[in-house]
Amino acid sequence: LNRIKASGLKLRFCTNETQATREKFVKKLQGLGFDISVEEVTAPAPAACRILKERGLRPHLLVHDDLVPEFAEVDKANPNCVVIGDAADNFTYANLNEAFRVLIGMEKPVLISLGRGRYYKETDGLKLDVGAYMKALEYACDVQAEVVGKPAKMFFESALAEMGVTPEEAIMIGDDIVNDVGGAQQCGMRAVQVRTGKYRPCDENHPYVKPDAYVNNLAEAVDIILQQL
Amino acid sequence: LNRIKASGLKLRFCTNETQATREKFVKKLQGLGFDISVEEVTAPAPAACRILKERGLRPHLLVHDDLVPEFAEVDKANPNCVVIGDAADNFTYANLNEAFRVLIGMEKPVLISLGRGRYYKETDGLKLDVGAYMKALEYACDVQAEVVGKPAKMFFESALAEMGVTPEEAIMIGDDIVNDVGGAQQCGMRAVQVRTGKYRPCDENHPYVKPDAYVNNLAEAVDIILQQL
């Protein structure tokens, strides 16, 4: 990261993290030694806040407790939409019913989902992600959710807009074949898959996503990018 | 009902009730003055039990506490499928994760759903039904649930088999345009919609289900049937 920054290239961190504010997320990465600030992070919650403001939407929130501060500035009285994130233990029957009743009570239900992940791994095992609960509400209310986060095109476009560059000028580096590589390519960017983290060997035979290049780690991606300047 | 029974016609009660055993369901109806016995009831849980036995399936149950006794005779050790019903307050994040882990751990996940309802009304408001949670697990595990209950064709067929009659010899009387009327018709039966309970005037303009007749109440349906004998 330091070499990228020293080269004068613009940099942006795109995450689907919705279990914590950007502040917490950044602190965690700083603790791991990364030179990163809140302003460099594109995350679903702040992207959703922009959409809410633009469209005059007042959300009923079904999100993780630690994410609530991201919506501090948003008017939440008399809700006219539902925002769902990875609420984890907040996904109780009572809370899901409440979100459902808000939605079904609208003339035209608006459901905004912070990502569409199926599940993820934690130390104590696999956990259902926001996408599963999004599908439950979609079915119950016969509505299609608007997804904010990777791999949504709009999410990558807002990251590009924040940097002030075109898709052709940008390159995505990520470990997730669909959310990182596929999403960025659909937006017109080139994308490199890193063979760490979520990477699985079977990704290299993915039926419809083919990265522009593979690297074994982030440093190798930086080498390639700096060589081509 | 007494007039139907006195006429010698065979009778069967088809319910999607999965919050209680047939015993409890029958007691409730008996309390309301209906002449009904457990043997006359076709319900999703016993239908599922037959399927489990036929296919050598051992279920992990995600159902309402009051339904568990229906599965007393079924081997539940080392589960190789998941059975989901309207579990209501049992739809906790922990319980849904547990069912998900059982499914995702299978080479070929088998998910059996007792109905596919979206929601229902209780005295304290609308509640999410089993269909919403079925969709959550379907999405998370990339699997298609097998639905047991109305409007599944197999469910009506087992009711007919229990009575020993053909679809052409049977008539369905129900208040639900899709689950009762549509399901029975798809099975080759004629079906009458009763203008009580779940009936809504807009049902009469339903895009793809048209009952063979409408009646204002059950007694009127019995009049018509007995007249045509």
Side-chain angles (χ1 to χ4, degrees), chain B residues 25-76:
Chain B
F25 173 74
V26 160
K27 276 213 177 102
K28 199 173 103 183
L29 285 179
Q30 284 171 343
L32 294 170
F34 288 95
D35 173 16
I36 174 176
S37 69
V38 170
E39 293 68 35
E40 294 171 311
V41 176
T42 300
C49 286
R50 269 197 307 278
I51 292 170
L52 296 171
K53 275 183 197 165
E54 277 167 26
R55 290 164 53 186
L57 293 171
R58 300 176 305 276
H60 170 91
L61 298 178
L62 178 53
V63 301
H64 197 283
D65 287 343
D66 292 344
L67 195 70
V68 174
E70 290 277 19
F71 295 88
E73 308 290 308
V74 175
D75 179 11
K76 292 179 280 286

Side-chain angles (χ1 to χ4, degrees), chain B residues 3-227:
Chain B
R3 287 196 290 148
I4 291 270
K5 289 191 174 183
S7 75
L9 289 174
K10 287 177 182 169
L11 183 67
R12 201 83 196 161
F13 300 87
C14 293
T15 175
N16 269 4
E17 174 67 60
T18 64
Q19 282 210 359
T21 57
R22 278 166 301 169
E23 280 72 15
K24 274 203 181 177
F25 173 74
V26 160
K27 276 213 177 102
K28 199 173 103 183
L29 285 179
Q30 284 171 343
L32 294 170
F34 288 95
D35 173 16
I36 174 176
S37 69
V38 170
E39 293 68 35
E40 294 171 311
V41 176
T42 300
C49 286
R50 269 197 307 278
I51 292 170
L52 296 171
K53 275 183 197 165
E54 277 167 26
R55 290 164 53 186
L57 293 171
R58 300 176 305 276
H60 170 91
L61 298 178
L62 178 53
V63 301
H64 197 283
D65 287 343
D66 292 344
L67 195 70
V68 174
E70 290 277 19
F71 295 88
E73 308 290 308
V74 175
D75 179 11
K76 292 179 280 286
N78 188 19
N80 57 4
C81 77
V82 166
V83 172
I84 183 174
D86 174 19
D89 290 325
N90 277 347
F91 280 136
T92 63
Y93 185 57
N95 285 348
L96 210 67
N97 273 330
E98 205 187 333
F100 159 68
R101 284 180 205 141
V102 171
L103 273 178
I104 202 81
M106 295 175 198
E107 204 180 319
K108 205 165 174 279
V110 176
L111 174 61
I112 294 175
S113 187
L114 306 179
R116 53 179 297 133
R118 293 165 189 268
Y119 58 89
Y120 54 86
K121 200 172 181 173
E122 286 204 336
T123 44
D124 56 339
L126 296 176
K127 302 269 173 88
L128 287 166
D129 201 353
V130 60
Y133 288 89
M134 173 192 88
K135 286 289 171 185
L137 291 178
E138 282 189 343
Y139 177 71
C141 303
D142 197 15
V143 67
Q144 182 103 37
E146 302 172 38
V147 177
V148 179
K150 298 181 285 187
K153 201 178 165 187
M154 198 173 58
F155 190 66
F156 287 99
E157 284 169 349
S158 65
L160 292 172
E162 286 156 6
M163 290 191 287
V165 303
T166 64
E168 296 74 28
E169 294 173 306
I171 190 156
M172 174 79 190
I173 307 168
D175 59 0
D176 188 313
I177 184 75
V178 171
N179 286 319
D180 295 336
V181 177
Q185 287 180 333
Q186 282 209 330
C187 180
M189 297 166 64
R190 281 164 295 170
V192 172
Q193 189 176 17
V194 192
R195 291 194 182 101
T196 57
K198 282 188 184 173
Y199 167 82
R200 295 284 168 274
C202 64
D203 289 348
E204 307 207 7
N205 303 313
H206 194 278
Y208 61 91
V209 182
K210 195 169 161 43
D212 295 278
Y214 293 98
V215 291
N216 290 316
N217 50 56
L218 184 54
E220 210 177 295
V222 174
D223 288 341
I224 294 175
I225 292 167
L226 294 183
Q227 272 163 26

